[in-house]
Amino acid sequence: MTEIQRPGALYQQVAAAIREAILSGEFEPGAPLPSEAQLIERYQVSRPTVRNAVAALRAEGLIEVHHGKGSFVRSDGQPAVTIERRVSHTRDGKFVMPSGSVWNEVEEPTPYRSRTTKGTGQLLSLGEEEALFTCDRLLTDAASGTRAMHRTLIPFEVARGTTLAEAPNTPPASAYEILTQAGHKLWWSETVRARMPLPDERAALQLPDATPVLHLSRVTHGTDDHPLILEELRVGADRAELAYRITADKEPARRTRA
Amino acid sequence: MTEIQRPGALYQQVAAAIREAILSGEFEPGAPLPSEAQLIERYQVSRPTVRNAVAALRAEGLIEVHHGKGSFVRSDGQPAVTIERRVSHTRDGKFVMPSGSVWNEVEEPTPYRSRTTKGTGQLLSLGEEEALFTCDRLLTDAASGTRAMHRTLIPFEVARGTTLAEAPNTPPASAYEILTQAGHKLWWSETVRARMPLPDERAALQLPDATPVLHLSRVTHGTDDHPLILEELRVGADRAELAYRITADKEPARRTRA
DNA sequence: TATCATTTGTTCGTATGTATC
DNA sequence: CGATACATACGAACAAATGAT
C-alpha cells in the first residue's frame, strides 16, 4: 500500500503516484499496470477515483488501455517512419516524391469533384465554393503498418487544358511533371499543424487514444507564384515525424503574419 | 427534447448529438453550451452520462470547459502565429532568424550544463551522457500572447575554442555567425513531431485541454556535415503553425529510414 | 465449442466541494 | 450572500471484451 497524502484532488494524487511509479521504472514500457481492483486496494480509494486517475494518464498519452485486458505503459519509442518533405527531380525532368516507394495505396483512389472551403480557398488564393478536382488516397507503410491520408486538390482553372482534367487521380509527381511541361517553374510551400483527430480520422488512421495528427498542407506554386495544387497529408503523430532540409536564403527574412 | 436512439454507448450518442448541434450551427463558436442540468433534461439521461459525453467532446478538442462558468464551443480559427522555418543572411554574413523579432524573452535565459540523452545524442551524432551547454528560453508573441519554449544544446567539443564556451546563452543567429566565422559552411535539418504535453509543459505554455504541442528539433550542420548545434522548439499546436519553403533538389530523394 | 473468471466499459444514484457571477 | 455551474467522491449494478479452462 502506497501512502496518498498530497495536495490536489484525490484522483490527481493517485494519477501522480502511478506516474511516478512508471517514471521510476516500477512499471516498464509495455508492461501491464495493476488492474483497477488492485489499484483500489493499493491506494484505498473508490473505483470512480481510480478510473478518473487512469483517464488522466490516458489523456496524457502515458498509458494505453485495452478493454478486457488491462492498462499498459506506452513506450515512448522513436517514430516508425520519418517522412522527408522535399522534392527532387532527375536529369530528364522527372519528379521524385520523397520516400514515395515506402507508401502503398490501400485501395484504388477515386477522384471526385468538390469545392473550396475557407481554409483551402485561402491556400489556393481562391474564394469559397470554387470548383475543384479532388482525390483521396489512404496510404500504408508496409514496414511499420503506419497509415496516412493524402488528398490532392486541383482547381478547375488549373486542370483545364492539361491531361489533369481527364485524369484527376494523377499522382502528385506526375502532376508536377505535367505542369512543368506546360511551362511552369515550380516551387512549393508547406505548412504544418497538429490537432486532435476527428472521429472518422481516428478510425481511418487507426489511432490510439490521446494521439494527435500531423496535418501538412503543401501548395505547389507556378512561375508567377500563383498556387496551382494543394495537397494535404494527415498522419498519426505517434508513428511518424517530418523532416526538412534547410539552407540559408540570400534575402532577408519576411515577417510573421499577425 | 431530442431523441436519442442510436447504436453505441449512451454517452457516445449524446456526444454525437451535441457534436451535430455544434456543427449544424445551433451552438456557434464561442457560445456557451447548455449546462449539465439542461443536457440531462434535454436528453433524459443521468448526470454521469452527460459528464461522460462532455468529457469526450473535450478530449476531441471541440469544446472548452470552465469551472463554475460552463462549456463553450471552441473556435477552430486559424493559428495566431505562423512560424517560418528558414534561415536568411544578409550580404555582410549576418544571420537573421525568421520572425525573430516577434518573440520576446519572458525572462533572461540562464545557461546551464547538461548531458545528452538517447534522443538528443542521436541527433548530434554523440553517445549518451556527453557534456552539453544548454540554454532555455521562454518566448512570447506580443501580438497574440502565444508562448513557446526554446532550448539550445551545444556540445562541449563544438563550443571549445569559440566564444560560445564563455557565453552559452548566445542567441542562435549569433551562434550561426560565430560558427561561420570559424570556417563552417552551415546547413540545417529539422524534424517535426507532435505529442500531448507533459504536465509541466502544459503549465509553462498555458495550454488548454486536448491541445498537442509541436516539437521541432533543428540541427545545425557544419562543412563536413557534422552536427554542431541542436535547437528544440516547443509550441502549443492550437495557436501556432509552421511554414517551410521547398525547391526541387537536383539529387534523387533519399530513402525513409525503417 | 462452450463456459467461466478477470478486467474494463457503461449507467444509474447520491452527496459534497469549489469557482463564478 | 445566494444561486448556478462544474469538480470530486462514494456506492452499486450490469454489459462487453478477453483469455483460460
Side-chain angles (χ1 to χ4, degrees):
Chain A
M1 222 277 281
T2 306
E3 286 303 323
I4 298 287
Q5 202 75 256
R6 267 167 288 187
L10 190 50
Y11 81 93
Q12 292 284 15
Q13 299 173 30
V14 174
I18 299 174
R19 194 185 297 118
E20 274 182 41
I22 291 173
L23 298 180
S24 77
E26 182 176 346
F27 307 116
E28 296 186 10
L33 244 54
S35 73
E36 289 180 1
Q38 290 172 314
L39 291 174
I40 289 168
E41 180 59 27
R42 175 168 174 162
Y43 297 116
Q44 293 292 306
V45 293
S46 69
R47 181 142 185 254
T49 301
V50 163
R51 282 190 64 80
N52 221 339
V54 168
L57 298 173
R58 212 176 157 161
E60 234 172 84
L62 192 63
I63 66 173
E64 205 168 301
V65 181
H66 297 287
H67 190 168
K69 291 180 67 177
S71 306
F72 301 84
V73 180
R74 219 152 133 180
S75 56
D76 56 346
Q78 301 288 320
V81 289
T82 298
I83 305 177
E84 290 198 30
R85 303 303 290 173
R86 49 197 294 202
V87 174
S88 308
H89 60 66
T90 54
R91 267 188 298 273
D92 53 351
K94 286 212 168 84
F95 285 93
V96 182
M97 297 296 284
S99 61
S101 56
V102 194
W103 298 99
N104 298 317
E105 291 177 8
V106 171
E107 44 191 63
E108 193 57 29
T110 51
Y112 58 97
R113 287 167 168 76
S114 67
R115 298 188 173 275
T116 52
T117 62
K118 192 180 174 188
T120 58
Q122 194 165 6
L123 286 168
L124 287 167
S125 296
L126 292 174
E128 291 189 50
E129 299 296 333
E130 299 274 355
L132 296 171
F133 289 116
T134 312
C135 187
D136 289 336
R137 287 180 170 82
L138 183 55
L139 308 171
T140 58
D141 174 44
S144 65
T146 307
R147 289 187 169 214
M149 292 198 282
H150 184 275
R151 175 173 291 171
T152 311
L153 302 163
I154 307 177
F156 272 22
E157 289 302 311
V158 173
R160 176 158 53 189
T162 73
T163 55
L164 291 174
E166 300 142 34
N169 58 342
T170 303
S174 304
Y176 298 165
E177 231 172 297
I178 291 170
L179 291 170
T180 300
Q181 284 167 2
H184 280 288
K185 171 100 170 69
L186 302 181
W187 64 276
W188 298 262
S189 63
E190 206 157 289
T191 57
V192 184
R193 300 167 66 168
R195 53 176 171 74
M196 296 311 284
L198 302 175
D200 58 324
E201 286 176 325
R202 268 202 56 185
L205 296 176
Q206 301 176 335
L207 301 177
D209 271 350
T211 303
V213 284
L214 284 164
H215 186 124
L216 281 77
S217 301
R218 166 180 286 191
V219 179
T220 304
H221 302 261
T223 5
D224 53 354
D225 283 2
H226 196 77
L228 299 175
I229 302 178
L230 172 60
E231 291 168 69
E232 290 186 320
L233 184 72
R234 285 165 284 177
V235 59
D238 58 334
R239 323 279 307 266
E241 66 182 4
L242 311 174
Y244 291 91
R245 187 188 172 112
I246 298 172
T247 49
D249 285 336
K250 291 287 147 41
E251 322 109 65
R254 288 179 297 187
R255 283 273 306 189
T256 297
R257 113 172 112 82
Chain B
M1 216 278 279
T2 307
E3 284 304 321
I4 299 288
Q5 201 74 260
R6 266 167 291 189
L10 192 51
Y11 82 93
Q12 292 283 14
Q13 298 173 30
V14 173
I18 300 174
R19 194 184 297 119
E20 273 181 42
I22 292 174
L23 297 179
S24 78
E26 182 176 344
F27 308 117
E28 295 186 11
L33 244 54
S35 72
E36 289 181 0
Q38 289 171 312
L39 292 174
I40 289 168
E41 180 60 27
R42 175 167 175 161
Y43 297 115
Q44 293 291 308
V45 294
S46 70
R47 183 128 191 273
T49 300
V50 163
R51 284 192 62 79
N52 226 339
V54 168
L57 297 173
R58 209 174 160 165
E60 227 172 271
L62 192 63
I63 66 174
E64 207 167 299
V65 180
H66 298 287
H67 192 162
K69 290 180 68 177
S71 306
F72 301 83
V73 179
R74 220 152 134 180
S75 58
D76 57 347
Q78 301 289 320
V81 289
T82 298
I83 305 177
E84 290 198 32
R85 303 304 291 173
R86 48 196 295 201
V87 175
S88 309
H89 59 67
T90 55
R91 267 188 299 273
D92 54 351
K94 286 209 166 84
F95 285 92
V96 182
M97 297 297 283
S99 61
S101 55
V102 195
W103 298 99
N104 297 317
E105 291 177 7
V106 171
E107 44 191 59
E108 193 58 29
T110 50
Y112 58 98
R113 286 170 170 74
S114 68
R115 297 187 174 278
T116 52
T117 62
K118 190 180 176 190
T120 58
Q122 194 166 4
L123 286 168
L124 286 166
S125 295
L126 291 173
E128 290 187 52
E129 300 295 333
E130 299 274 354
L132 296 170
F133 288 116
T134 311
C135 186
D136 288 336
R137 287 179 170 82
L138 183 57
L139 307 172
T140 58
D141 173 44
S144 65
T146 307
R147 289 187 168 215
M149 293 198 283
H150 184 275
R151 176 172 289 170
T152 312
L153 302 163
I154 307 176
F156 273 23
E157 289 302 310
V158 172
R160 175 158 53 190
T162 72
T163 56
L164 291 173
E166 300 142 33
N169 58 341
T170 303
S174 305
Y176 298 164
E177 231 172 297
I178 291 170
L179 290 170
T180 300
Q181 285 166 2
H184 281 288
K185 172 100 170 66
L186 302 182
W187 64 276
W188 297 264
S189 63
E190 205 158 289
T191 57
V192 184
R193 300 166 66 167
R195 53 178 172 74
M196 296 311 282
L198 303 174
D200 58 324
E201 285 176 323
R202 269 203 55 185
L205 296 176
Q206 301 176 334
L207 300 177
D209 270 352
T211 304
V213 286
L214 282 163
H215 187 125
L216 282 77
S217 302
R218 168 181 284 191
V219 178
T220 304
H221 302 261
T223 4
D224 52 353
D225 284 359
H226 197 76
L228 299 175
I229 302 178
L230 171 60
E231 292 168 69
E232 289 186 321
L233 184 71
R234 284 165 286 176
V235 60
D238 57 335
R239 319 283 305 267
E241 66 182 5
L242 311 174
Y244 292 91
R245 188 191 171 108
I246 299 173
T247 49
D249 285 337
K250 291 287 148 40
E251 323 107 63
R254 287 179 297 186
R255 281 273 307 191
T256 298
R257 109 171 116 82

